[in-house]
Amino acid sequence: NYWFSVSIGSQLREQTFSDAIRTDAGQMKYLHSGFYYKYIERFANYFSPDQFHIMITEEFRKAPIDQMSKCYEFLGVDPSFQPDVEKQYNVTLVTSNGKLGSAFAFWVATKKRIKPVFKKFPLSLRSRLAQIEKQAFNQVMSEKRPPMTQEDRSYLSRIFEEPNAKLKALLGRDIIDWE
């Protein structure tokens, strides 16, 4: 997504979300992968509906234990198992400070290039450097993102209206959080 791309430096921070989704490249990068209908339709051509289980992220966030139980039941494993859903993994963090964000993106790109050199350092030094990097990262980064504007929400609603209607028909149910 846009904020992940900003956080790793593959999206210029100077190009706002609003600007990015209105370019051909931005639509390919951020919107087209959200046309779930076309992907699920391909599976439906080869598999019967009872062979795949669709989970909606918004429903999962609201009731993770219930959603996981349904998934386990679908898979034929113990649906009473309750994983720890409090801990989050791979959370995309961003900074509200553009200069710090740009500096961090530069560091991420540089780190990829010098990784072979770091592998020659003793493990204890690499571990210490990783710890320092993580501390610095946590001081400047946050999960907070600016809210989506109503103009962008309306724009995206128009773009996703037809594909989402097809998806609802294919799934045979409403997706209330997408209305």
Side-chain angles (χ1 to χ4, degrees):
N1 73 31
Y2 173 82
W3 289 109
F4 175 74
S5 295
V6 167
S7 75
I8 64 167
S10 68
Q11 169 65 53
L12 294 176
R13 174 176 281 283
E14 292 75 26
Q15 185 180 40
T16 66
F17 172 74
S18 188
D19 292 338
I21 62 174
R22 287 171 173 79
T23 66
D24 290 340
Q27 286 190 2
M28 286 300 292
K29 189 173 184 177
Y30 303 119
L31 306 186
H32 286 241
S33 62
F35 296 146
Y36 303 123
Y37 169 80
K38 68 182 180 182
Y39 302 110
I40 296 171
E41 181 184 41
R42 276 192 242 153
F43 281 103
N45 288 329
Y46 298 99
F47 301 98
S48 63
D50 65 328
Q51 290 182 292
F52 52 95
H53 179 76
I54 307 294
M55 295 175 70
I56 307 300
T57 301
E58 291 81 1
E59 294 170 356
F60 180 80
R61 284 188 182 136
K62 285 181 183 175
I65 297 295
D66 180 53
Q67 292 296 313
M68 289 306 300
S69 179
K70 289 176 183 176
C71 181
Y72 296 151
E73 192 172 316
F74 170 79
L75 294 170
V77 297
D78 181 7
S80 66
F81 174 73
Q82 294 191 1
D84 178 6
V85 295
E86 296 303 315
K87 185 167 169 88
Q88 293 185 350
Y89 297 88
N90 297 322
V91 177
T92 298
L93 301 173
V94 295
T95 178
S96 58
N97 181 316
K99 289 182 182 176
L100 284 175
S102 296
F104 185 76
F106 176 77
W107 166 244
V108 169
T110 302
K111 188 169 121 177
K112 286 179 186 176
R113 289 193 303 274
I114 63 174
K115 190 173 187 177
V117 174
F118 272 108
K119 288 186 175 188
K120 295 178 182 177
F121 289 7
L123 180 59
S124 59
L125 178 57
R126 288 187 311 212
S127 297
R128 181 64 183 134
L129 290 171
Q131 186 180 32
I132 292 168
E133 177 188 34
K134 186 174 182 177
Q135 288 171 342
F137 181 79
N138 288 337
Q139 287 178 358
V140 298
M141 304 302 262
S142 163
E143 292 180 48
K144 294 180 183 175
R145 297 163 185 78
M148 185 184 303
T149 66
Q150 187 55 48
E151 181 183 355
D152 289 343
R153 190 171 301 282
S154 296
Y155 174 76
L156 293 171
S157 291
R158 287 190 303 275
I159 288 175
F160 282 96
E161 184 175 14
E162 182 183 336
N164 285 352
K166 288 179 180 180
L167 178 62
K168 290 175 191 178
L170 182 67
L171 297 179
R173 67 186 192 106
D174 281 334
I175 305 171
I176 296 168
D177 291 312
W178 292 4
E179 305 281 321

